[in-house]
Amino acid sequence: MLPSITGQYLARYQRLGAGDPDFALLPATGAQRRFLLVRSLDPAGHADIVPMFFAFPRGTVDPARLRAAANHLAARHPVLRSRPCVVRGTPVLRPEPADVPLDHVDGAPGESAEDALRRTLEDWAAQGPPLRLFLAHDASYPEEELLAVVLDHTACDGQSLARIVGELGAAYRDRLGPDDLSPAEAAAELAAYRDAVLRQLDAEDRAASPRALAYWGERLRTVHEQAPLPGTRPISAGLPSGAAEWKAPAPVGGVPFPALLDACRAAATALFGTGPVPPIGYPWGGRPAGAAPVLGCFLNTVVHPADTRGAASPEATAAGWWDDLDRADTPFDEVVRAARAGGSAWSGRLDGLLTVDDARSRDPLRLGATTGREVHVGGRQVRAPFAVSATQGPELHLRMVWDRTVLTDDAAEDAFAALCRALPAEPKP
């Protein structure tokens, strides 16, 4: 049997460091390698980034103290100070000294703070530090300023964000900087991160078993994306993304994940018509068994075949989803290859994305005695025709964004209405 894609990568990485006791380059997880591949296919070279925005009373944020706190985090967590690079054809991370920038964003005349931040993030330099801070204010926020904490997606996943917010606030409170971390502590964190990634790669290698690949080949045999192939246009082309959102009292225990998948299937049916089976991707996963709880990007993208040929029963969707989760560690690139071997013409592009965030387990950013108010800044482009986020807290907050170079606003808004109707209880405005 041929080595898996992950197995081939591991062999190349190990050859890079063979015989070098001071080898410093870090291996890249499957998710990190996918983000780097997608970036390389984008004509403009845009990176996938994860921004968090917080409004603070104007004048309460101490920029120097905040930057020192962020550099303390970067010194502690290798992934927050490592830059992706390719060495002899092998994607790796190169650790560097902590150097988190904090930029003051000044809007053009008449430009809002949100628009100024959106424009700034569109110009994100892919080769810069993976963690960056931006502070902006304008006349629409006469008593507040907006703080953006932004990460390259190669440096974080959903499990990392809550810790970053908590640890940033704690370091700010305690007035910590990068020099407050001893060399021994830094070396231990580096070793723990390397160990976690190697464990992840080992798990990804084992998850690409013949049985798992046969399962995904059959499961996705009829999938065929409806959108243009990736790399045909810059991610920044066209208008800012469209958006729609609804809120409703959250059901006890939240909306079951299979119900959200069915809702995405209803949206895909409204967009693409009955008959096709669009691929809907969602992130899943966590730290590998035995690994330290390090910050990083350890997710995998699982693919759900959204069959639009008829109404799916909730029980059938749930049964298929549970079967998928048994093989959710199979790396996305192996899944694409298995689907094509099974007869699908799928290129690997996703027609829709679904993310779920449990806000009940996340505290807001607190800097000193002041707690920030989390805000949303939309309009950034997405790498799929549409993307749905469901935030579960005291309320269920549904948000759908769409690529206006692929979908019209009318079509997308009709799809979002279909998505809401498909949920067990229709959200109200």
Side-chain angles (χ1 to χ4, degrees):
M1 184 178 69
L2 292 175
S4 70
I5 295 173
T6 304
Q8 295 174 53
Y9 170 78
L10 266 171
R12 292 199 306 271
Y13 173 75
Q14 290 162 353
R15 284 197 296 269
L16 284 179
D20 183 0
D22 299 318
F23 185 67
L25 298 177
L26 297 170
T29 66
Q32 289 171 326
R33 300 197 309 277
R34 285 193 298 280
F35 282 126
L36 294 176
L37 175 62
V38 170
R39 179 187 308 178
S40 70
L41 292 175
D42 187 290
H46 283 85
D48 289 88
I49 58 175
V50 182
M52 297 180 285
F53 303 96
F54 305 92
F56 282 89
R58 187 172 294 196
T60 59
V61 177
D62 182 333
R65 183 176 169 186
L66 176 60
R67 185 166 183 253
N71 275 307
H72 179 77
L73 263 65
R76 176 174 295 279
H77 300 293
V79 75
L80 299 183
R81 55 180 173 83
S82 296
R83 302 195 189 191
C85 60
V86 177
V87 178
R88 281 185 271 166
T90 305
V92 291
L93 300 186
R94 187 187 303 278
E96 298 184 352
D99 186 21
V100 179
L102 190 155
D103 294 328
H104 292 267
V105 176
D106 297 319
E111 186 179 39
S112 69
E114 290 98 333
D115 287 342
L117 283 171
R118 185 185 302 113
R119 172 176 49 79
T120 298
L121 296 185
E122 285 175 357
D123 294 332
W124 177 279
Q127 299 306 313
L131 170 61
R132 306 174 210 180
L133 308 173
F134 302 89
L135 202 57
H137 59 79
D138 72 347
S140 65
Y141 285 85
E143 299 178 356
E144 291 183 310
E145 52 194 353
L146 291 184
L147 170 65
V149 180
V150 191
L151 297 108
D152 192 302
H153 214 330
T154 59
C156 71
D157 54 18
Q159 291 190 21
S160 300
L161 297 180
R163 280 190 60 191
I164 288 170
V165 169
E167 292 186 19
L168 182 61
Y172 186 95
R173 178 197 63 211
D174 297 336
R175 299 181 179 273
L176 299 178
D179 294 337
D180 292 300
L181 190 74
S182 72
E185 290 174 312
E189 293 283 355
L190 185 65
Y193 178 80
R194 186 191 300 271
D195 175 73
V197 174
L198 289 174
R199 287 175 183 267
Q200 175 74 12
L201 293 172
D202 180 65
E204 292 175 5
D205 186 28
R206 287 184 282 106
S209 67
R211 181 174 296 182
L213 297 180
Y215 171 85
W216 285 115
E218 178 59 28
R219 175 77 161 137
L220 303 178
R221 179 176 52 82
T222 57
V223 160
H224 192 302
E225 81 272 4
Q226 309 302 304
L229 293 175
T232 59
R233 60 175 179 80
I235 194 173
S236 59
L239 299 170
S241 61
E245 58 184 286
W246 293 83
K247 294 182 180 180
V252 176
V255 176
F257 196 87
L260 293 170
L261 289 174
D262 271 339
C264 288
R265 181 199 58 79
T269 302
L271 289 172
F272 307 127
T274 57
V277 182
I280 306 294
Y282 58 91
W284 203 262
R287 304 303 178 268
V294 298
L295 295 187
C297 184
F298 292 87
L299 57 84
N300 188 36
T301 300
V302 185
V303 184
H304 174 69
D307 193 338
T308 66
R309 291 173 293 189
S313 72
E315 295 78 15
T317 300
W321 178 65
W322 281 112
D323 287 343
D324 290 349
L325 289 192
D326 287 340
R327 303 158 183 88
D329 290 339
T330 308
F332 180 80
D333 46 11
E334 294 280 12
V335 169
V336 176
R337 188 163 69 171
R340 293 182 65 83
S344 172
W346 179 39
S347 72
R349 182 182 174 93
L350 297 168
D351 280 343
L353 299 168
L354 170 64
T355 58
V356 180
D357 180 26
D358 188 352
R360 296 167 294 186
S361 61
R362 187 181 68 231
D363 294 326
L365 177 61
R366 184 175 179 84
L367 297 180
T370 307
T371 299
R373 176 175 59 86
E374 189 162 6
V375 298
H376 179 81
V377 176
R380 295 183 301 111
Q381 291 293 319
V382 293
R383 291 203 189 270
F386 74 96
V388 176
S389 63
T391 302
Q392 311 237 37
E395 293 181 310
L396 171 64
H397 184 186
L398 289 177
R399 182 177 181 84
M400 178 172 138
V401 297
W402 57 90
D403 184 343
R404 281 174 161 159
T405 68
V406 177
L407 305 175
T408 66
D409 286 351
D410 287 345
E413 288 164 1
D414 288 346
F416 184 64
L419 181 147
C420 293
R421 289 194 300 269
L423 291 172
E426 183 176 348
K428 304 298 181 185

